[in-house]
Amino acid sequence: SVGFKTLLIERAHIDRTKNNNPMVEFDVGGDCTNSACVPSKAVRSIAKMSAASNIDDDTNQDARETDRKWLKLARRQANEAVGKVRGREDSSRIGDVPNLDLEFVQDCHFVSDHKMKITSYDNSTWLEGNGVSVANATLTEKIISSKKFIIATGASPILPEALTKAATNAGVPYLTYRSLLRPNSFDTLLDTTAKNIVIVGGGATACELGQSLSRLGRKDLNVSIAAPAILPGEDVTLQEAAIRILFNDNCHLHLGHRAVDVIENGGSPVLVMTDNSSIPVDCIIFCTGRSPESSLKSLHLDKAGIAWTANKGVTVNSYLRSKTARHVYASGDCASAVPPRDRRSIHAGWTGFNVVRNALLPWFLRSRATHPFVPRVAYLDPEVAGAGMSAAECILRFGVDGYDSFLVPEDGNDRADVESRERFTDANFVELRAEKISGRLLGASACGPAAAEIINEVCLALVNRLTVRQIARTLHAYPSHGYLLYRISTALAMQKISGLLAGCGVFGRFLGAQLRNFARVATIFKFKWLPWKKQSMLKLSRWQATGSSNALVLQTEKGGPSLLSFIDAYNNETLCTQILSENNTSLHIHHGKREFTEWLDAKG
């Protein structure tokens, strides 16, 4: 509260897992602590143990009970992890902080510019650290007033109305990550007799749940992911890595099409896709994104003159200040200035700190409240991560040949060789992207057991505008996972004379700097700055960027899907001819041929 009189308002959670006695829970921490980051990584930990175990099912009298053992252990691990984190975030300690109060509410909403009406629970209940049954809860209505408000209501899972209605009509239960991962909710999977679980959606949450459930589930359980794409918005290299990882863990992938209906087919429910294909389904887990709409709608923001939209949240500027109500700020996933790709727990914390600073300090001490470099990690095993500019963004800004890029697979490197029996290495790689002349790092993608840690180092380099030469001068332990990043940086730095000179003392670095200055001057005489040339190059870059971010979905000989970016297919003349051929038998294209043809036609 930094000396200001502050009131925190948190909506209490109703736990309805106890059949006839729903309980009111007084926990802070939001989704990350209670139903997302913490429990999902705890479940992942047990799933990793399960995959690494050497249990021989043929020697077990009851294989089903063996399978349930891992699910039970995952539930216990998730509950224990959440409990420990909640202990560190214990709301009862707020009572000891001067000028800081907390109200757990059933409902709250604006009644005017500076006033809110709240329906709150008795403080003595949550100060004791205990829940209370809904029937015994004491509620009080209050009107509170404040000079300034900070809205940090986050986002909720999106439930497609048509699909949930169809699932209900077909008698198919459905879940979200919240209803699955919150403590005591994992029993749903322990008790289910479902043989076909379909995850609708292809983002990081869908991938993480898909792999964990495939590893933890019964041997007769089929886990499928149905989505137009895996990790949409990320580089095709990262999407391909995630596909290989999931396929390796027997997670069935149905890509290139959307789920549109749930119907009965021969007495069994199926999920119908846009290409009229069907997937057997007994339970659906919706991972179709998150939206701030539900929490913001209940606040009656119009009563305070606060502009907002269902998709983006509260309309704010770069300081996260409302554009229509200057006394109101928003942070995290409910702020329009936070791009969808950057709506992650670490960024929510960053914007929360900075929005408090901007709200309380004088104007000359305020600054942009969002971060330009947010690490993006999907916690598969191995991890999949990225940061900075994607390949498509680099192409759009610099053109295909306007930046340096280097990708090295981990397979065949020393660390992968010594651990080849311990873990899956086929999908692992590190890729760096850097400015062609200066060598300044632009972005990176990585897949590996320590991809998140590699990307943390990349973010450090991005924030401090480091070059590949500077990374190459920093020794990395051998054979650490980060050693591959060091090798790639060295290779990128050494491919130019200026990079070679960087290792030749002070005078060498001076000569290298002059060579780079000469290269910058030389670009002026290529006349790319002329309006008609600039327009033509921009059009080409847009076309190339589209080709880099879109891919053909191919069927491999092993039966799993594989991706081939449009731009890679175009650059391979033989492959391009095969794709366009009507009599092609060597390539099994599952999806994307029509889109690829349209992309080619768009070049003109």
Side-chain angles (χ1 to χ4, degrees):
S1 62
V2 292
F4 292 87
K5 191 172 182 180
T6 305
L7 173 65
L8 301 177
I9 301 175
E10 175 73 10
R11 188 183 296 274
H13 174 73
I14 308 297
D15 179 9
R16 301 186 186 280
T17 58
K18 300 173 177 62
N19 295 331
N20 298 318
N21 188 28
M23 298 289 291
V24 183
E25 294 182 341
F26 304 110
D27 300 305
V28 295
D31 264 2
C32 191
T33 296
N34 299 294
S35 55
C37 308
V38 173
S40 69
K41 305 312 173 283
V43 170
R44 173 186 182 265
S45 173
I46 303 303
K48 189 174 181 179
M49 290 172 58
S50 173
S53 69
N54 295 314
I55 293 177
D56 184 356
D57 292 332
D58 294 333
T59 64
N60 285 280
Q61 295 181 352
D62 190 347
R64 178 178 172 81
E65 190 56 36
T66 298
D67 298 332
R68 282 173 58 84
K69 181 188 81 170
W70 290 110
L71 283 169
K72 288 179 178 179
L73 187 57
R75 176 187 62 179
R76 190 169 71 199
Q77 179 75 0
N79 289 353
E80 288 177 357
V82 171
K84 289 176 181 178
V85 176
R86 283 178 174 176
R88 290 190 287 273
E89 297 173 345
D90 186 6
S91 56
S92 63
R93 292 186 298 178
I94 290 177
D96 300 327
V97 180
N99 296 320
L100 182 62
D101 295 308
L102 170 65
E103 293 279 3
F104 281 100
V105 303
Q106 183 188 71
D107 178 58
C108 66
H109 58 268
F110 283 94
V111 293
S112 66
D113 287 2
H114 290 273
K115 291 184 178 181
M116 291 190 80
K117 181 179 181 180
I118 65 172
T119 305
S120 60
Y121 292 92
D122 182 12
N123 283 1
S124 62
T125 308
W126 63 262
L127 282 171
E128 294 172 0
N130 300 318
V132 62
S133 67
V134 172
N136 296 329
T138 303
L139 292 167
T140 306
E141 288 190 353
K142 304 176 185 176
I143 300 292
I144 63 167
S145 61
S146 178
K147 290 181 179 180
K148 294 183 179 179
F149 292 88
I150 296 175
I151 300 172
T153 51
S156 301
I158 296 173
L159 283 170
E161 186 177 351
L163 274 179
T164 53
K165 186 176 180 180
T168 302
N169 293 338
V172 176
Y174 58 85
L175 305 165
T176 66
Y177 69 85
R178 273 187 182 174
S179 53
L180 176 64
L181 292 174
R182 196 170 179 93
N184 302 320
S185 299
F186 208 66
D187 293 355
T188 307
L189 289 182
L190 281 170
D191 299 335
T192 186
T193 57
K195 292 186 176 181
N196 299 290
I197 295 178
V198 179
I199 300 172
V200 177
T205 302
C207 293
E208 292 174 14
L209 287 176
Q211 184 184 41
S212 292
L213 294 178
S214 295
R215 289 177 162 186
L216 289 169
R218 307 182 312 272
K219 299 301 177 286
D220 62 343
L221 177 66
N222 294 313
V223 178
S224 303
I225 293 179
I230 291 294
L231 300 181
E234 293 292 352
D235 287 325
V236 171
T237 51
L238 286 178
Q239 295 179 23
E240 172 70 14
I243 286 172
R244 288 190 185 186
I245 294 165
L246 292 167
F247 182 72
N248 183 64
D249 279 305
N250 299 314
C251 183
H252 306 285
L253 302 174
H254 304 268
L255 306 179
H257 304 282
R258 296 181 184 277
V260 291
D261 202 359
V262 183
I263 62 172
E264 289 277 346
N265 185 15
S268 300
V270 295
L271 184 71
V272 181
M273 308 297 287
T274 49
D275 64 343
N276 291 323
S277 62
S278 59
I279 308 168
V281 60
D282 300 314
C283 178
I284 298 174
I285 301 175
F286 285 109
C287 296
T288 49
R290 303 169 73 241
S291 168
E293 180 181 11
S294 61
S295 56
L296 292 179
K297 191 175 182 179
S298 65
L299 292 179
H300 300 178
L301 299 179
D302 55 306
K303 296 284 183 69
I306 305 168
W308 67 286
T309 61
N311 294 329
K312 294 184 177 181
V314 180
T315 306
V316 294
N317 58 21
S318 60
Y319 300 130
L320 300 187
R321 188 178 198 172
S322 169
K323 291 183 177 181
T324 57
R326 295 178 62 80
H327 64 292
V328 175
Y329 294 77
S331 71
D333 295 355
C334 67
S336 65
V338 180
R341 189 174 72 170
D342 293 343
R343 294 188 174 185
R344 299 170 188 272
S345 58
I346 186 62
H347 199 212
W350 171 272
T351 59
F353 170 82
N354 284 280
V355 79
V356 169
R357 179 204 61 204
N358 287 346
L360 299 180
L361 297 183
W363 63 269
F364 54 85
L365 294 177
R366 296 172 187 164
S367 64
R368 174 179 168 175
T370 56
H371 201 287
F373 304 111
V374 180
R376 309 181 299 273
V377 184
Y379 285 93
L380 292 166
D381 178 29
E383 299 163 353
V384 176
M389 296 175 68
S390 66
E393 289 169 335
C394 288
I395 291 172
L396 187 60
R397 182 169 176 180
F398 304 104
V400 168
D401 300 320
Y403 71 102
D404 289 326
S405 178
F406 204 161
L407 184 151
V408 176
E410 188 200 25
D411 201 25
N413 283 278
D414 298 4
R415 182 62 180 262
D417 290 342
V418 300
E419 295 178 349
S420 59
R421 293 184 182 276
E422 176 189 344
R423 58 186 176 85
F424 178 69
T425 62
D426 292 358
N428 299 354
F429 71 93
V430 176
E431 180 183 19
L432 291 185
R433 296 174 285 277
E435 282 188 355
K436 188 169 277 296
I437 296 176
S438 70
R440 183 170 66 86
L441 203 61
L442 297 173
S445 304
C447 175
E453 315 310 324
I454 290 173
I455 289 301
N456 284 342
E457 183 177 348
V458 168
C459 286
L460 176 67
L462 289 168
V463 168
N464 292 282
R465 300 177 64 83
L466 300 184
T467 66
V468 291
R469 297 184 302 281
Q470 291 168 308
I471 299 175
R473 289 206 303 268
T474 305
L475 291 181
H476 289 59
Y478 171 86
S480 65
H481 295 294
Y483 183 72
L484 196 56
L485 177 70
Y486 168 73
R487 286 187 58 191
I488 296 171
S489 300
T490 303
L492 282 171
M494 300 286 279
Q495 68 182 2
K496 294 184 176 66
I497 295 176
S498 61
L500 289 168
L501 289 170
C504 299
V506 176
F507 189 66
R509 287 195 289 274
F510 173 77
L511 288 178
Q514 300 315 306
L515 285 176
R516 289 191 294 275
N517 289 333
F518 178 79
R520 291 187 185 96
V521 172
T523 59
I524 297 174
F525 294 99
K526 292 181 180 180
F527 301 106
K528 293 181 180 180
W529 46 270
L530 293 172
W532 56 89
K533 273 199 170 187
K534 193 173 182 179
Q535 188 66 27
S536 175
M537 290 175 61
L538 180 60
K539 182 179 179 182
L540 179 61
S541 295
R542 285 174 177 167
W543 180 80
Q544 292 169 333
T546 302
S548 174
S549 58
N550 287 276
L552 294 155
V553 181
L554 309 178
Q555 205 73 20
T556 65
E557 293 181 358
K558 295 182 179 180
S562 178
L563 299 183
L564 177 66
S565 71
F566 288 180
I567 196 75
D568 287 342
Y570 173 78
N571 290 332
N572 188 321
E573 188 175 342
T574 303
L575 205 56
C576 190
T577 303
Q578 288 179 341
I579 293 168
L580 297 176
S581 173
E582 294 293 335
N583 301 317
N584 169 48
T585 56
S586 57
L587 281 176
H588 301 284
I589 302 174
H590 177 67
H591 174 72
K593 182 175 180 179
R594 177 176 59 82
E595 290 81 359
F596 177 70
T597 305
E598 292 174 352
W599 175 74
L600 288 176
D601 293 340
K603 185 181 181 183

